[in-house]
Amino acid sequence: MNIAVVGSGYVGTTIAACFADLGHRVTAIDIDEGIVERLNRGEASIHEPGLDDLLEAHAGDRLRATTDYGAIRDCEATFLALPTPSREDGSIDASIIEAGARSVGEALAGEEGDHLVVVKSTVVPSTTEGTLIPAIEAGAGEAVGERIRVGMNPEFLREGSAVTDFLEPDKVVLGADDDWGRERLFEVFAPLIERAEPAVVEATVREAEMIKYANNAFLATKISLINELGNICKEFGIDAYRVADAIGLDDRIGEQFLRSGVGWGGSCFPKDVDALRAAAREAGYEPELLDATVAVNDRQPERMLALLAEHADLPGARIAVLGLAFKPGTDDVRNSRAIPAIEGLTERGAEVVAYDPVAHETMREHFPDIEYAASAAAALSGADGALVMTDWDEFAALDDEFEDMATPVVIDGRRVVEHREGLVYEGLTW
Ligand SMILES: NC(=O)C1=CN([C@@H]2O[C@H](COP(=O)(O)OP(=O)(O)OC[C@H]3O[C@@H](n4cnc5c(N)ncnc54)[C@H](O)[C@@H]3O)[C@@H](O)[C@H]2O)C=CC1
Ligand SMILES: O=C(O)[C@H]1O[C@H](OP(=O)(O)OP(=O)(O)OC[C@H]2O[C@@H](n3ccc(=O)[nH]c3=O)[C@H](O)[C@@H]2O)[C@H](O)[C@@H](O)[C@@H]1O
């Protein structure tokens, strides 16, 4: 099939390269000329394992990039993979995807062939119906439902494993409100379904929108729940990881996403939980459990600082912050738990020396004035205490480096450092 993908960020670039790999002819459309030029040279603007190989194999052949929405006219389906950021109050800002939907409509105006527009971005229930369909209609000058149809296909990939997550999914959710739309979505995903045999969930557009939020809200809440249980464990001198291993054996609970500690960050959990809370409130429902999910998450960095303060006199102390990325394998620091930790240290008059294997440049935008060390060893050298904020493997290998600390105190928010003789070691939930 000929497929267009609008937006060439994390999701758009990944799905464009993967659709090409599945045998489709793909046109990636982005307003950023630099991104388009790079894609046409076979280079990604994002770092994801496996992506470069796919781009090298398909760019210039089954995968092309352009800034021209007109390319949509040669396609049978267009995926919208545009940002849906939060507004100040947490609600979703749909203006970017609304503008994209309108441009897609304009490109299709006056054409005769039929076309499926698929919402790939995460949008709160009823956005497709209430905002995006009207935008497409305004651009196209005709009603959606005859020649132009709309579907919703939420994405569950994770940063750092985007390509394998997309090509080997647990499930594919095909949201459509009519048979024609659903059949065309099936056609797009047929090679993937054949290859990976995921569960296929047929849903309405509204259900598909909600499934995405329910998925992320459930995972974020699962982490906050294990963090709350972990905080209680700590009070009783119990290791929450041993408790998590035991409860994870219950199939109804499952072993994944039970790593307790300093909490969840990233570009999606915080944004999506906030958007769902705001949408629920707007609809007249008080989402108390989701409010608590966020409250528990917000508290964890503070708990780390309180533990550190029990062992170090923070005003004037030199504190190493190990790990800045919101999770290992990425330089993304959006909503990283390291941000409130660094803010808290600075507010208490501590001097911060930070280290991350890849995220210095991205964190420098938030904190231009703190010190960035060239290695974990350099950060620890002479430090009066250390906070571990990201579970990078290299922190597990640290050993003699702790001996160079002025005061060997480590508060571990990710259970990555090994407790050893001579080190004052505190886990957040163990
Ligand atoms: N990043 C992730 O891991 C996941 C993201 N999502 C959702 O997917 C959606 C997209 O997210 P990301 O790919 O992370 O965004 P992103 O910010 O990485 O990329 C968006 C791209 O859209 C381009 N763009 C902006 N306005 C445009 C326009 N009018 N026309 C064409 N291109 C335009 C930008 O230049 C950028 O390249 C969001 O709704 C997000 O919540 C869903 C699952 C995973
Ligand atoms: O909607 C999205 O964008 C994506 O959001 C998450 O993916 P991502 O944010 O890339 O990263 P995760 O691996 O889910 O980690 C999120 C945060 O939770 C934390 N986490 C994760 C697991 C755990 O057991 N404990 C824990 O604290 C991580 O450190 C990280 O800060 C979801 O896992 C994806 O399915 C989803 O598509």
Side-chain angles (χ1 to χ4, degrees):
M1 269 177 91
N2 288 334
I3 296 174
V5 177
V6 177
S8 300
Y10 272 99
V11 172
T13 309
T14 305
I15 70 168
C18 291
F19 279 148
D21 199 53
L22 291 166
H24 295 307
R25 301 196 74 79
V26 183
T27 305
I29 299 171
D30 203 286
I31 43 170
D32 186 319
E33 281 178 19
I35 290 179
V36 165
E37 276 169 28
R38 253 174 280 157
L39 269 180
N40 280 327
R41 284 201 303 269
E43 294 165 18
S45 302
I46 56 160
H47 302 287
E48 279 296 327
L51 190 57
D52 288 345
D53 292 343
L54 292 184
L55 291 178
E56 203 180 299
H58 303 300
D61 179 23
R62 286 212 294 269
L63 173 63
R64 287 165 198 280
T66 177
T67 53
D68 178 13
Y69 273 78
I72 285 169
R73 289 195 278 274
D74 299 325
C75 298
E76 292 128 273
T78 296
F79 282 73
L80 290 172
L82 292 169
T84 49
S86 303
R87 292 206 198 96
E88 197 97 316
D89 65 358
S91 65
I92 179 183
D93 176 355
S95 59
I96 299 172
I97 188 165
E98 187 180 355
R102 192 185 169 103
S103 301
V104 170
E106 284 165 0
L108 295 173
E111 288 291 298
E112 289 188 349
D114 53 30
H115 199 95
L116 179 70
V117 182
V118 185
V119 178
K120 187 57 149 166
S121 301
T122 303
V123 292
V124 292
S126 84
T127 306
T128 301
E129 218 176 305
T131 306
L132 304 182
I133 289 179
I136 296 168
E137 289 175 332
E142 67 176 280
V144 160
E146 291 294 324
R147 193 177 65 84
I148 305 171
R149 308 279 175 111
V150 170
M152 161 74 206
N153 166 235
E155 182 50 57
F156 303 98
L157 64 78
R158 286 163 300 177
E159 289 182 24
S161 54
V163 170
T164 41
D165 283 347
F166 184 80
L167 290 175
E168 296 163 25
D170 295 334
K171 62 177 177 285
V172 171
V173 177
L174 305 180
D177 289 336
D178 59 82
D179 291 343
W180 181 94
R182 188 166 300 111
E183 276 158 28
R184 185 149 301 177
L185 260 177
F186 258 107
E187 256 180 82
V188 173
F189 281 94
L192 177 65
I193 294 168
E194 209 167 290
R195 195 201 270 192
E197 299 181 347
V200 177
V201 179
E202 291 183 33
T204 64
V205 164
R206 238 178 223 225
E207 285 167 350
E209 292 171 327
M210 186 64 194
I211 288 167
K212 172 65 194 175
Y213 281 97
N215 219 91
N216 273 359
F218 199 100
L219 291 172
T221 303
K222 190 175 182 186
I223 300 169
S224 281
L225 178 55
I226 197 65
N227 284 342
E228 176 126 302
L229 294 170
N231 293 340
I232 297 169
C233 283
K234 179 92 182 163
E235 295 299 327
F236 286 98
I238 296 166
D239 180 344
Y241 276 68
R242 287 174 57 77
V243 174
D245 284 349
I247 63 173
L249 294 172
D250 188 324
D251 281 345
R252 294 168 301 175
I253 294 174
E255 63 184 11
Q256 292 193 55
F257 275 62
L258 287 180
R259 293 186 57 79
S260 56
V262 71
W264 39 271
S267 65
C268 288
F269 282 176
K271 161 176 91 70
D272 293 350
V273 176
D274 281 350
L276 187 58
R277 289 161 71 211
R281 280 213 167 84
E282 170 108 20
Y285 178 79
E286 277 302 309
E288 287 176 38
L289 182 55
L290 294 179
D291 290 349
T293 289
V294 173
V296 169
N297 199 53
D298 287 346
R299 231 164 37 205
Q300 293 305 83
E302 272 300 318
R303 289 180 60 85
M304 274 185 89
L305 294 174
L307 272 178
L308 179 64
E310 286 175 19
H311 301 281
D313 194 11
L314 290 179
R318 181 176 167 83
I319 304 298
V321 174
L322 300 185
L324 303 173
F326 84 96
K327 67 173 190 180
T330 177
D331 65 352
D332 195 340
V333 300
R334 284 178 286 179
N335 284 300
S336 167
R337 302 294 75 202
I339 294 173
I342 293 172
E343 280 167 356
L345 286 170
T346 314
E347 277 161 21
R348 286 163 177 78
E351 179 198 333
V352 174
V353 49
Y355 169 72
D356 188 281
V358 295
H360 285 187
E361 290 321 309
T362 41
M363 195 53 111
R364 228 184 274 277
E365 289 167 24
H366 293 267
F367 300 108
D369 298 327
I370 62 170
E371 185 181 333
Y372 292 87
S375 64
L380 290 172
S381 179
D384 300 302
L387 299 179
V388 181
M389 306 304 297
T390 315
D391 34 347
W392 286 106
D393 283 344
E394 69 170 78
F395 299 152
L398 291 171
D399 190 6
D400 296 346
E401 292 82 354
F402 295 113
E403 288 168 17
D404 292 336
M405 294 179 76
T407 329
V409 174
V410 172
I411 312 297
D412 191 347
R414 297 290 184 189
R415 201 190 184 84
V416 59
V417 166
E418 276 194 40
H419 189 193
R420 68 202 66 238
E421 192 97 359
L423 188 65
V424 177
Y425 176 86
E426 286 259 19
L428 200 53
T429 56
W430 59 95

